Amino acid sequence: MRNPLLLSLALLGGCVSAADCASDWYSTGQRDGRLGAYQAQLYVSHCSGPVDTSRYDQGWQEGFAQRPRISAF
C-alpha cells in the first residue's frame, strides 16, 4: 500500500448515507473537516434535497482547525 491516506479518502468518498443528507450541514462539514475529507460536491451529487454548502464550508473550516498538528523536527 503506497499511500494509506489516499485509500482512506477514497473509501470515505463512498460513505454518503440518507442520514448525512438529512443532517445539519454545519455538523457534517465539521465532522468531515476533522477527518480532512472535503466532500461537499459528493453530497450535492448524492443527496436529493438541497445542500447548504456555505454552512458545510463553515463547519469544515472549524473541524479542519481542530485536527491535531504534527510539529516539525
Side-chain angles (χ1 to χ4, degrees), residues 8-26:
S8 297
L9 291 176
L11 292 174
L12 282 173
C15 296
V16 174
S17 69
D20 289 329
C21 292
S23 66
D24 171 35
W25 290 112
Y26 184 87

Side-chain angles (χ1 to χ4, degrees), residues 67-73:
R67 290 175 54 93
R69 303 286 188 244
I70 299 173
S71 60
F73 290 91

